C-alpha cells in the first residue's frame, strides 16, 4: 500500500513537471523571450580553420587583430560619434555595430590604422572597371531566367533573398541549359569581381548584402537605392565609412526583427548573437529553423533552446565591457 502511494506520488510529480514544461512552451510561443546579455558557452566555440590559416599567413594573431581594430575605435572620436548616431537612427544599441566591426576585423581582415584609408579605398572604386557577372552573364540578365519568376517581392531584401534561395536550389553546383555553375554562394559567384568570397570596407560587407538592405537604408537614412547594374556605386557604398555604417546597422536591425517576429526571441540586448548572425547571414531562415525546433521541443514537453553565439559572437560578448568603455 505504501509503495502504491509512493508510486502515485511519483507519477503525479512527473505529470506536474511535464505540464509545467508544456505551459512554459505555450507561454514562450505566445510572447517574446528576452535573450540576456553574455555568452551561453563557457568556452569559445572553435574558430574555422580558414580564419586561423589566413591570420597565421598574415604573420599575426587574433588578439593582435582585435587590438588593432580596438585602437581604431579608441583613437577616432568621430567614428565613435558616427556609430552612435547611426545606431540611433535604426533604434539599436551602438554595441551591435561595434560588435560587427570588431568581429569582422578580428577574424576576417586587419583593420586599417586610420579611417581615412577607407575613404581612399572607396574613391578608388569610382572609376574601376567592375561588373557583377559570371562567365560573361551579367547578374541583371541572369535573374530574368524563368527559375526566378516567383521572385516578385517589391522590397530589395525580399527580392534578393528570394533570388539567393533560387540560386541555392536551382543553380548551385548544377548544370542548367548546358552551362555549369560553381558549388558556391551566390554572393561569391556573381558579386565579387576581384576576390571570390571576399568582403569589403569597415563593415566587411558583401555587395549582395548591400543590395538586400538598399530599401531599408533608403527609408531610414535617405541614401539612394542601389542598383546591381551599377557595381561601382555598390562598391563605393560598402567602402565609404559614412555610408556603409547605415548598411551595417540595417543588417543588424533586420536580424533583430527576424528573431523577434519569427522565433519569438528578443536579441536586442546581446551583441554577441547579432554579431553571430552578421557573420553567418540568413537570419530569417535561421530564425525559422529555431522556431520549428522549439515548436517540436514544446510538443515534447521540453524547454526552448535559446539562440547561441558562435566563435565570432563569443569574442564580442567577451570583450563587451572593454568596448563599452569607449562609448
Amino acid at each position: 500500500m505504501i509503495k502504491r502511494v509512493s508510486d502515485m506520488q511519483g507519477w503525479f510529480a512527473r505529470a506536474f513537471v511535464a505540464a509545467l514544461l508544456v505551459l512554459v512552451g505555450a507561454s514562450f510561443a505566445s510572447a517574446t523571450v528576452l535573450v540576456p546579455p553574455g555568452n551561453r558557452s563557457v568556452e569559445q566555440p572553435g574558430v574555422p580553420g580558414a580564419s586561423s590559416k589566413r591570420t597565421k599567413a598574415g604573420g599575426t594573431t587574433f588578439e593582435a587583430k582585435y587590438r588593432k581594430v580596438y585602437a581604431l575605435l579608441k583613437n577616432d572620436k568621430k567614428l565613435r560619434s558616427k556609430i552612435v548616431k547611426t545606431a540611433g537612427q535604426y533604434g539599436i544599441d551602438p554595441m551591435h555595430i561595434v560588435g560587427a566591426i570588431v568581429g569582422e576585423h578580428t577574424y576576417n581582415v586587419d583593420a586599417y590604422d586610420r579611417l581615412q584609408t577607407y575613404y581612399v579605398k572607396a574613391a578608388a572604386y569610382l572609376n574601376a572597371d567592375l561588373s557583377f557577372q559570371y562567365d560573361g552573364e551579367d547578374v541583371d540578365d541572369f535573374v530574368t531566367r524563368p527559375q526566378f519568376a516567383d521572385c516578385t517581392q517589391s522590397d530589395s531584401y525580399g527580392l534578393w533573398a528570394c533570388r539567393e534561395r533560387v540560386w541555392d536550389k536551382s543553380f548551385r553546383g548544377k548544370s542548367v541549359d548546358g552551362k555549369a555553375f560553381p558549388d558556391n554562394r551566390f554572393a561569391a559567384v556573381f558579386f565579387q569581381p576581384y576576390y571570390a568570397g571576399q568582403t569589403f570596407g569597415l563593415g566587411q560587407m558583401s555587395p549582395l548584402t548591400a543590395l538586400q538592405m538598399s530599401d531599408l537604408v533608403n527609408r531610414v537614412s535617405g541614401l539612394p537605392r542601389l542598383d546591381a547594374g551599377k557595381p561601382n556605386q555598390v562598391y563605393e557604398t560598402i567602402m565609404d565609412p559614412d555610408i556603409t555604417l547605415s548598411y551595417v546597422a540595417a543588417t543588424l536591425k533586420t536580424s533583430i526583427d527576424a528573431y523577434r517576429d519569427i522565433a519569438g526571441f528578443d536579441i536586442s540586448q546581446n551583441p554577441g548573437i547579432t554579431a553571430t548572425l552578421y557573420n553567418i547571414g540568413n537570419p530569417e531562415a535561421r530564425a525559422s529553423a529555431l522556431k520549428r525546433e522549439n515548436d517540436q521541443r514544446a510538443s515534447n514537453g521540453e524547454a526552448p533552446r535559446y539562440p547561441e553565439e558562435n566563435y565570432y559572437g563569443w569574442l564580442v560578448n567577451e570583450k563587451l565591457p572593454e568596448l563599452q568603455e569607449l562609448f
Side-chain angles (χ1 to χ4, degrees), residues 9-129:
Q9 288 175 336
W11 181 87
F12 279 118
R14 291 191 296 272
F16 174 77
V17 171
L20 183 62
L21 286 171
V22 170
L23 286 173
V24 169
S27 175
F28 168 77
S30 61
T32 301
V33 177
L34 177 66
V35 178
N39 286 316
R40 308 278 76 80
S41 302
V42 176
E43 296 183 353
Q44 184 179 27
V47 178
S51 183
S52 298
K53 183 177 180 181
R54 183 167 53 244
T55 299
K56 185 176 181 180
T60 185
T61 64
F62 293 134
E63 180 63 20
K65 291 166 75 173
Y66 166 75
R67 286 296 156 197
K68 193 170 182 180
V69 68
Y70 177 84
L72 173 66
L73 292 165
K74 182 179 180 180
N75 297 331
D76 198 319
K77 184 177 180 180
K78 289 184 178 179
L79 173 58
R80 297 198 304 273
S81 296
K82 290 174 183 177
I83 290 173
V84 171
K85 179 181 178 181
T86 302
Q89 291 175 334
Y90 288 83
I92 63 175
D93 190 306
M95 289 300 107
H96 292 295
I97 298 177
V98 172
I101 293 172
V102 166
E104 286 296 330
H105 287 88
T106 300
Y107 294 109
N108 193 346
V109 299
D110 274 325
Y112 292 117
D113 294 320
R114 297 183 304 121
L115 196 63
Q116 184 61 33
T117 307
Y118 289 99
Y119 292 108
V120 173
K121 291 285 185 179
Y125 282 100
L126 286 174
N127 298 312
D129 184 17

Side-chain angles (χ1 to χ4, degrees), residues 196-218:
Q198 186 168 337
T199 49
F200 297 86
L202 184 63
Q204 285 297 291
M205 180 168 289
S206 79
L208 178 58
T209 301
L211 288 165
Q212 289 176 336
M213 297 300 142
S214 179
D215 281 354
L216 177 56
V217 170
N218 174 259

